[in-house]
Amino acid sequence: MVSSRRSSEVRRLALSLLQPGFVGTTPPDWVLRDIQDGLRSVVLFTRNIESAEQVAALTERLRAENPELVVAIDEESGDVTRIESATGSSRPGNFALGHVDDTELTAQVARDLGRDLRAAGVTLNYAPSVDVNSNPDNPVIGVRSFGTDPEVVSRHAAAWVDGLQSSGVAACAKHFPGHGDVAVDSHHGLPSYDADRAEIAAHALPPFLAALGAGARAVMSAHLLVPAWDPEVPATLSRRVLGDLLRGELGFDGLIVTDAIEMAAVTERYGIEGASVRAVAAGADALCVGGENADEQTPARIADALVDAVASGRLTEERLAEAAARVAEFADWSTRLARTPAPPAENIESIGLTGARRAIRLTGAAQSALPLADSPHVVELAPLTHLAIAQETPWGVADSLLRHLPSTTSVRVRQEDLGSAATADVCGLTQAKGRPLVVVVRDAARHSWMSRALGELTHARPDAIVVEMGLPGELPGAVGICTHGASTASGTAVTELLVGARAAG
């Protein structure tokens, strides 16, 4: 029989593996208590963020319990932002940076982000996404990727890691072994990456090797099947993927952290406790949890499940202790990284806006059609976004245009708004009579309803200016503007083009 003292020690080890989220802009009592009991990490989401000063005070209070506490965040810039979820990111995302293909710009953007995260007390960023977005129907990666070419993704992955970590914040390369060639969102189901081992090695793994070569000491696993390595269980729960491939072939000895362990790809079959136990047994060292399950009971249930698994022999205490040791080693390293001298601020007007401007691609008769001769009518065709994108995060150009051209009118249209009604009526084309029409889309090629609506609008108005803020495709209309992402920086850069000046916001 295991003594109560021994059980308490095992539970302390189990708690140290968790990276839970929580609700509130100040630390709940249960989080402070769990830190005292062995919790070594927390993760912040948009619900924890009101201002830079508030987040700094929050992290300072957390570290009063443990100065080496790992404070993580999922801040990619671009479409996926936490620290700027209320306003939209002031920096372009990965796809825009990959399109520009200037690694120094990528490093500057990441360094700039790192300064803000460091000032807020964040020590681990779940970024960059180094997935190669080779499937145009991918519903969850898209513009989060640096591109479709492994070489482009690799060099920008390395630059991003170097830039972020030079500011004192640890990077985390994700989603291993690559989430780019799938057509299912792992928040909702289990994708399968069906390439053979040679293709995986040539296409998906080089960006991870580049990120590790640049100094990344954390890797996030993907919740997807990789039949070439393990046809039975998702990568996060697979010894073959985490052990044989990541630890063995790639030689990675740093921290393996899971993607959010409550995601349907792993919980539908195993439950959150079963998935957690299997992930640790397979070789994961840290369990990200709390994006959706941010209550006190969830981390307690997971810790108890790990303790029970050790008691029953389904998880060895040695594996638990090994994982805890890696967490402790990473916490020590990331704390020292955060204490290194910060790089001096760069003399750049706004590196984010500079990058967004450079990422714009124009097609059609832009020279004669821009800037606009009058205040436009703007139609924004809005798709449902995946759970990595905060629903409150603004995007588009209508609001920015309205600030500069007060007579601008606009409508935002979703798929359900169209129904059986005429597209022209729903989109208010009568308001655009005698005025410029700007149609803003987001991944139009991936959404059949949006492509149809766009086709109808540009048929009615061949002079329409089409702004694609997702993956670029063939754009109808007089002028096509591709931003390669939907950040606020990208919206501002488009507004500058449309009004013929460098807009302030």
Side-chain angles (χ1 to χ4, degrees):
M1 179 175 290
V2 180
S3 69
S4 59
R5 178 179 177 183
R6 189 72 197 133
S7 178
S8 177
E9 292 172 351
V10 171
R11 193 174 194 282
R12 190 171 185 87
L13 290 175
L15 264 180
S16 74
L17 272 55
L18 305 186
Q19 296 191 340
F22 55 89
V23 176
T25 55
T26 57
D29 290 341
W30 69 265
V31 171
L32 300 177
R33 183 177 64 249
D34 279 358
I35 295 172
Q36 294 170 2
D37 291 343
L39 187 70
R40 299 295 300 266
S41 313
V42 297
V43 56
L44 303 181
F45 293 94
T46 58
R47 59 179 174 246
N48 307 120
I49 296 168
E50 288 181 346
S51 67
E53 296 76 18
Q54 168 266 319
V55 178
L58 167 63
T59 57
E60 183 179 11
R61 177 64 188 92
L62 289 166
R63 288 210 172 85
E65 305 298 328
N66 177 1
E68 292 194 349
L69 185 76
V70 175
V71 177
I73 198 168
D74 186 14
E75 176 58 56
E76 300 177 12
S77 290
D79 289 30
V80 178
T81 179
R82 306 292 175 238
I83 58 171
E84 296 183 291
S85 64
T87 59
S89 178
S90 59
R91 304 171 183 91
N94 287 358
F95 199 70
L97 295 172
H99 173 73
V100 176
D101 200 12
D102 178 348
T103 53
E104 178 54 29
L105 172 66
T106 296
Q108 287 175 325
V109 168
R111 200 155 45 236
D112 186 59
L113 171 64
R115 290 189 189 93
D116 285 355
L117 295 181
R118 175 175 175 155
V122 171
T123 51
L124 169 62
N125 188 10
Y126 296 148
S129 168
V130 302
D131 309 289
V132 180
N133 195 65
S134 51
N135 189 333
D137 292 325
N138 194 316
V140 71
I141 300 300
V143 296
R144 301 167 67 191
S145 168
F146 289 110
T148 60
D149 183 339
E151 292 185 6
V152 171
V153 177
S154 295
R155 58 177 172 261
H156 288 278
W160 212 96
V161 168
D162 180 69
L164 184 75
Q165 295 195 162
S166 72
S167 288
V169 177
C172 178
K174 64 185 184 185
H175 307 79
F176 188 83
H179 211 301
D181 192 14
V182 300
V184 173
D185 183 349
S186 49
H187 291 93
H188 306 297
L190 180 59
S192 184
Y193 179 22
D194 295 326
D196 60 28
R197 291 193 180 190
E199 184 178 346
I200 292 170
H203 199 77
L205 298 184
F208 287 97
L209 289 167
L212 301 185
R217 295 178 65 169
V219 169
M220 177 175 281
S221 64
H223 299 332
L224 47 78
L225 278 178
V226 190
W229 281 93
D230 192 332
E232 302 297 327
V233 297
T236 293
L237 317 182
S238 172
R239 289 187 181 91
R240 297 174 189 173
V241 174
L242 300 187
D244 297 347
L245 179 55
L246 181 53
R247 295 281 188 216
E249 291 206 9
L250 271 61
F252 180 62
D253 194 38
L255 185 78
I256 299 177
V257 57
T258 70
D259 205 347
I261 203 65
E262 65 259 55
M263 289 165 63
V266 292
T267 57
E268 278 188 348
R269 182 172 178 182
Y270 304 104
I272 196 166
E273 295 98 328
S276 298
V277 170
R278 285 172 175 265
V280 175
D285 306 306
L287 302 166
C288 173
V289 62
E292 299 171 62
N293 299 67
D295 55 284
E296 176 181 357
Q297 290 73 33
T298 298
R301 285 164 46 207
I302 294 173
D304 290 343
L306 293 171
V307 172
D308 291 344
V310 170
S312 68
R314 291 179 293 124
L315 175 66
T316 67
E317 188 173 338
E318 290 75 17
R319 169 80 272 270
L320 188 70
E322 176 190 45
R326 280 208 176 91
V327 171
E329 180 183 14
F330 182 85
D332 175 71
W333 173 77
S334 60
T335 299
R336 286 186 281 109
L337 182 67
R339 291 171 179 165
T340 57
E346 294 164 275
N347 185 23
I348 299 172
E349 173 193 358
S350 167
I351 189 60
L353 185 53
T354 297
R357 287 170 181 150
R358 293 179 62 187
I360 288 179
R361 189 191 79 198
L362 296 175
T363 63
Q367 190 169 359
S368 59
L370 299 176
L372 300 175
D374 194 3
S375 296
H377 178 63
V378 181
V379 178
E380 295 178 335
L381 301 177
L384 287 174
T385 55
H386 53 76
L387 290 177
I389 298 175
Q391 295 303 304
E392 71 271 15
T393 302
W395 69 279
V397 303
D399 290 344
S400 182
L401 277 171
L402 184 62
R403 289 194 291 272
H404 296 278
L405 300 172
S407 297
T408 297
T409 57
S410 67
V411 60
R412 178 161 288 193
V413 177
R414 295 169 177 80
Q415 182 177 8
E416 60 269 25
D417 297 328
L418 292 173
S420 59
T423 298
D425 293 340
V426 175
C427 296
L429 282 198
T430 56
Q431 297 181 69
K433 188 174 181 180
R435 300 165 54 199
L437 175 66
V438 177
V439 184
V440 186
V441 295
R442 195 170 181 178
D443 292 332
R446 199 168 60 78
H447 299 282
S448 57
W449 73 269
M450 192 183 299
S451 295
R452 285 193 300 272
L454 178 58
E456 292 177 26
L457 291 171
T458 54
H459 178 74
R461 286 287 302 266
D463 63 335
I465 295 169
V466 180
V467 181
E468 171 60 87
M469 301 193 78
L471 294 177
E474 292 298 321
L475 299 183
V479 175
I481 302 175
C482 296
T483 64
H484 304 91
S487 69
T488 291
S490 297
T492 299
V494 170
T495 300
E496 292 178 346
L497 284 174
L498 295 175
V499 302
R502 290 198 165 183

